């Protein structure tokens, strides 16, 4: 049975497409929805903090869902978790679009976050099922290039839909994309887990797995890098609709182009990552990518304290932020699960929970701190961007030195 499962892997093209679509549901769930936030707040009569919570609720439930669904996928396989999760995702999107007040919308977005967890945990676990750590990093870069294209198209589409058909159409669009992803999975992607772990759901085993993961320096370093790099992006996603539309006066359509342009830069960053990985190690690639994050963070500091508020003052450093994210994200996501072939689901879940927890905390902070200026967004991006750069230059680099020392000791 194990051999049959292993031999059933689809071709590389279908593998990359499946990973890109499954991972791409995360920016679809946020980026496509962003241009609709001001209109949503106006129609439902909700305060800014409540509108912000529609993103934060999705993110925290996304994180908690990963903690549960990671071990479930190790026990029963990736495919059943993905099929159930994507089905719930579609239903939650349709129900959320029909909400008549902010409270049911929050509940449906929370459920959509749990379902989104199945998609991302399944994708990252399948990556480890199919590929070795080194090859997995390269394949993750290719898949995240596809994600970059999805992220690039989502904000302009969201802006057009929100402007023409209203904010509800953006949620319906997420359901349509979820349904298309489900169709690809049903038609072309078999189970990837060669040997399920019968004890994966035992509480002692779950706690033991978490201890093993948290004790591993590579897991800690790459998970922290993932958290900080994504925190920089999430700060922009969670606050930029209010900053660019309400403060700087952009239309929803132009704002969609701004976010889509950032996704294009992110895609270029993934191409750089793939090129560098052909001749450099993962830590060396991270070291280069961290310079982009550093430059973007400094630029955001200047936008907050030196330059007058304007679209160019924010977008120029954002270019560097997105280039850095395009390099750091493939390395950090693959690096956090690479050492754990038997616990790929648990590793993907725990690192994903950490990312979602950071995003939830940032959403709460931004909901309280946004004050009608650009400073809360810019200063928050500066702080977490500097943190990502420092993590990439220190903790991640120590992994390469430790690996070299171990290799020397074996010789």
């Amino acid at each position: 049975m194990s051999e049959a499962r292993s031999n059933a892997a689809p071709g590389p093209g279908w593998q990359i497409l499946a990973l890109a679509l499954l991972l791409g549901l995360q920016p679809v769930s946020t980026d496509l929805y962003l241009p609709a936030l001001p209109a949503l707040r106006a129609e439902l009569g909700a305060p800014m903090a409540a509108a912000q919570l529609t993103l934060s609720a999705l993110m925290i439930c996304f994180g908690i869902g990963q903690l549960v669904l990671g071990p479930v996928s190790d026990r029963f396989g990736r495919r059943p978790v993905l099929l159930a999760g994507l089905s719930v995702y579609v239903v939650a999107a349709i129900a959320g679009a029909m909400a008549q007040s902010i409270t049911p919308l929050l509940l449906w977005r929370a459920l959509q976050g749990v379902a989104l967890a199945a998609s991302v945990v399944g994708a990252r676990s399948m990556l480890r099922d199919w590929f070795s750590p080194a090859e997995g990093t390269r394949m993750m870069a290719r898949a995240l290039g596809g994600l970059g294209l999805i992220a690039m198209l989502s904000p302009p589409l969201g802006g057009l839909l929100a402007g023409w058909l209203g904010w509800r159409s953006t949620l319906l669009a997420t359901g349509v994309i979820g349904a298309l992803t489900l169709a690809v999975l049903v038609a072309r992607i078999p189970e990837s887990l060669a040997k399920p772990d019968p004890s994966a759901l035992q509480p002692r085993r779950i706690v033991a797995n978490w201890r093993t993961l948290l004790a591993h320096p590579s897991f800690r370093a790459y998970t922290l890098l993932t958290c900080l790099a994504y925190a920089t992006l999430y700060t922009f996603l969670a606050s930029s609709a209010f900053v660019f539309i309400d403060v700087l006066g952009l239309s929803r359509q132009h704002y969609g182009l701004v976010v889509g342009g950032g996704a294009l830069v992110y895609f270029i960053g993934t191409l750089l990552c793939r090129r560098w990985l052909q001749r450099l190690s993962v830590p060396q690639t991270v070291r280069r990518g961290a310079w982009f994050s550093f430059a973007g963070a400094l630029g955001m500091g200047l936008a907050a304290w030196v330059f007058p508020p304007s679209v160019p003052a924010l977008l120029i450093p954002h270019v560097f932020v997105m280039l850095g994210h395009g390099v750091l994200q493939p390395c950090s996501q693959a690096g956090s699960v690479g050492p754990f072939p038997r616990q790929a689901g648990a590793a993907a879940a725990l690192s994903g929970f950490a990312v979602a927890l950071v995003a939830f905390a940032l959403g709460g902070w931004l909901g309280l701190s946004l004050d009608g200026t650009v400073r809360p967004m810019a200063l928050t991006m500066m702080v977490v961007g500097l943190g990502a750069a420092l993590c990439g230059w220190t903790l991640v680099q120590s992994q390469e030195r430790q690996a070299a020392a171990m290799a020397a000791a074996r010789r």
Side-chain angles (χ1 to χ4, degrees):
M1 182 174 177
S2 170
E3 184 177 347
R5 285 186 178 219
S6 179
N7 291 338
W14 286 110
Q15 289 173 325
I16 294 300
L17 177 63
L19 292 172
L21 288 173
L22 290 169
L23 294 169
L25 277 186
Q26 186 173 351
V28 163
S29 304
T30 54
D31 297 20
L32 194 150
Y33 176 75
L34 287 177
L37 279 177
L40 176 157
R41 184 178 61 151
E43 181 177 326
L44 298 183
M48 181 182 293
Q52 196 77 43
L53 196 56
T54 62
L55 275 178
S56 299
L58 179 137
M59 290 306 300
I60 191 60
C61 291
F62 171 58
I64 294 171
Q66 289 181 78
L67 284 182
V68 175
L69 295 175
V72 170
S73 74
D74 284 338
R75 171 63 184 88
F76 296 107
R78 321 307 183 195
R79 186 175 167 85
V81 171
L82 285 167
L83 294 179
L86 289 170
S87 299
V88 171
Y89 181 91
V90 174
V91 171
I94 295 171
M98 298 170 63
Q100 298 302 311
S101 66
I102 194 69
T103 299
L105 176 59
L106 285 171
L107 294 175
W108 288 116
R109 285 289 283 174
L111 183 60
Q112 200 174 19
V114 175
L116 178 63
S119 177
V120 173
V121 163
R124 294 180 65 190
S125 300
M126 287 194 302
L127 179 83
R128 188 61 188 90
D129 295 340
W130 286 330
F131 306 109
S132 67
E135 188 181 7
T137 305
R138 291 190 291 270
M139 296 300 280
M140 177 63 86
R142 293 179 63 184
L144 291 179
L147 177 149
L149 292 176
I150 294 171
M152 180 176 62
L153 296 174
S154 292
L157 176 60
L160 289 173
L161 289 173
W164 292 348
L165 302 175
W167 67 267
R168 298 177 189 276
S169 64
T170 63
L171 276 177
L172 289 174
T174 68
V176 170
I177 296 170
L180 290 173
T181 304
L182 178 60
V184 169
L185 200 76
V186 169
R188 293 292 180 175
I189 307 300
E191 179 58 59
S192 65
L193 183 61
K195 187 177 180 181
D197 183 356
S199 63
L201 291 177
Q202 295 177 3
R204 288 185 179 180
R205 179 61 182 275
I206 292 174
V207 173
N209 282 342
W210 289 350
R211 286 176 177 171
T212 299
L213 295 169
L214 291 172
H216 200 291
S218 181
F219 178 83
R220 294 198 304 267
Y222 282 111
T223 296
L224 180 60
L225 181 63
T226 302
C227 288
L228 291 169
Y230 185 72
T232 314
L233 172 62
Y234 184 79
T235 299
F236 184 85
L237 295 177
S239 54
S240 59
F242 300 107
V243 169
F244 282 94
I245 296 174
D246 292 347
V247 178
L248 298 178
L250 283 186
S251 67
R252 282 188 291 269
Q253 290 82 358
H254 286 147
Y255 168 72
L257 292 175
V258 163
V259 182
L264 174 61
V265 176
Y266 165 79
F267 174 70
I268 294 171
T270 65
L271 295 180
L272 274 176
C273 180
R274 287 165 55 185
R275 182 172 182 178
W276 288 341
L277 285 170
Q278 292 175 358
R279 54 190 178 85
L280 299 173
S281 68
V282 173
Q284 289 170 334
T285 301
V286 167
R287 184 163 58 235
R288 290 191 174 191
W291 280 108
F292 291 130
S293 297
F294 181 73
L298 290 184
M300 283 297 173
L302 292 175
W305 292 109
V306 178
F307 301 134
S310 68
V311 173
L314 292 173
L315 287 189
I316 292 173
H318 186 57
V319 168
F320 291 97
V321 167
M322 295 306 290
L323 280 173
H325 195 59
V327 175
L328 298 181
Q329 189 182 32
C331 296
S332 60
Q333 289 206 10
S336 63
V337 301
F340 311 103
R342 289 284 295 162
Q343 301 148 316
L350 192 57
S351 63
F353 173 74
V355 171
L357 192 63
V358 169
F360 178 76
L362 279 173
W365 157 251
L366 292 167
L368 295 173
S369 65
L370 289 174
D371 57 2
T373 72
V374 304
R375 281 186 177 174
M377 182 185 81
L379 290 176
T380 304
M381 291 182 70
M382 180 190 74
V383 171
V384 292
L386 289 174
L390 290 174
C391 179
W393 288 333
T394 57
L395 293 178
V396 171
Q397 300 310 310
S398 70
Q399 304 312 304
E400 185 170 48
R401 291 192 294 270
Q402 290 178 13
M406 293 175 62
R410 286 194 295 264
R411 285 198 296 265

